Amino acid sequence: MRSPIAPAGLLGPIFGADFARLVAGLAVEANLERRASIQQADHPCLTLTVVAAGAAQAGRTLADGGQQIVTLYFPGDLIDPAGLIAGRTEVAVESLTPVRLIRIDRFRLMPLLAKHPDAERCLVRRMAAENAQLRERVVSLGRRSALTRMAHLLCEFVVRVPAESGARFPLTQIELADVLGLSPVHINRVLHQMRDDGLVSFKGRDVVVLDQDRLSDLAGFDAAYLNRWSLAPAPAL
């Protein structure tokens, strides 16, 4: 069983190692089950929240009950960084799987960030990373076909969640429909087409990518929008 990552180890890629060690003592761990509420929309933002294990989603539910998932969060991701800056949450967030979260009180964190501009810039970079992912999601919803939408999402998952982490693709077909703006029936057809083409396989309910290169070619996937922000090394303080 993989050992849990200490708060300083999780916060280091976000803020830099020195600042992470400075604030690690403020961190509080929370463990939530699947489909638990992590935050509600348009509420005071009280904590910085980092996903330590598992996956979560941010989305909007419409009056007719329809849902659009707008953001996916995986281990190492900072939940709703814009809400942290604004002091008020922007989106509702819930867990897709059982999750372990690291939380730091916002009112203790923000004065420290003000004294460490490099760490504050790292937070802004995380906001830029989330915005880059949102822009690609808009392109998918507006212009990509059902097949290339799915291919692009799977490619993004492979880059954001390396295989060595042991994490499984966390989305059900209904949740995939809510991310990609398609019906569950259409999602099922696309996944079976990908399986028949040798791009993916199914392991129980899990989708396993078999040929990342072909999948990237199909999607026209370029990881630059992820690498530019999410995977850039944090500056030393």
Side-chain angles (χ1 to χ4, degrees), residues 36-158:
S37 174
I38 295 174
Q39 74 174 36
Q40 294 179 306
D42 198 27
H43 279 59
C45 181
L46 303 178
T47 63
L48 172 143
T49 302
V50 182
V51 179
Q57 66 172 42
R60 289 281 303 277
T61 300
L62 305 180
D64 63 1
Q67 180 180 226
Q68 181 66 50
I69 296 174
V70 296
T71 307
L72 298 170
Y73 297 110
F74 300 117
D77 285 343
L78 174 58
I79 288 178
D80 192 13
L84 183 75
I85 295 293
R88 198 161 188 86
T89 61
E90 291 195 329
V91 290
V93 181
E94 71 174 17
S95 55
L96 283 167
T97 67
V99 294
R100 184 168 71 94
L101 306 174
I102 299 298
R103 297 183 188 263
I104 297 178
D105 182 276
R106 178 179 181 272
F107 298 100
R108 301 178 70 183
L109 175 68
M110 298 308 283
L112 294 174
L113 282 173
K115 296 177 182 178
H116 296 271
D118 281 346
E120 192 171 37
R121 282 191 288 271
C122 289
L123 177 59
V124 172
R125 188 182 64 206
R126 283 303 174 112
M127 293 171 60
E130 185 168 307
N131 284 337
Q133 293 159 26
L134 287 170
R135 285 192 292 273
E136 283 298 321
R137 201 82 70 234
V138 168
V139 173
S140 283
L141 292 172
R143 290 298 176 184
R144 292 188 176 110
S145 68
L147 183 62
T148 55
R149 285 185 210 183
M150 179 70 75
H152 199 277
L153 180 64
L154 290 173
C155 289
E156 181 179 297
F157 175 78
V158 169

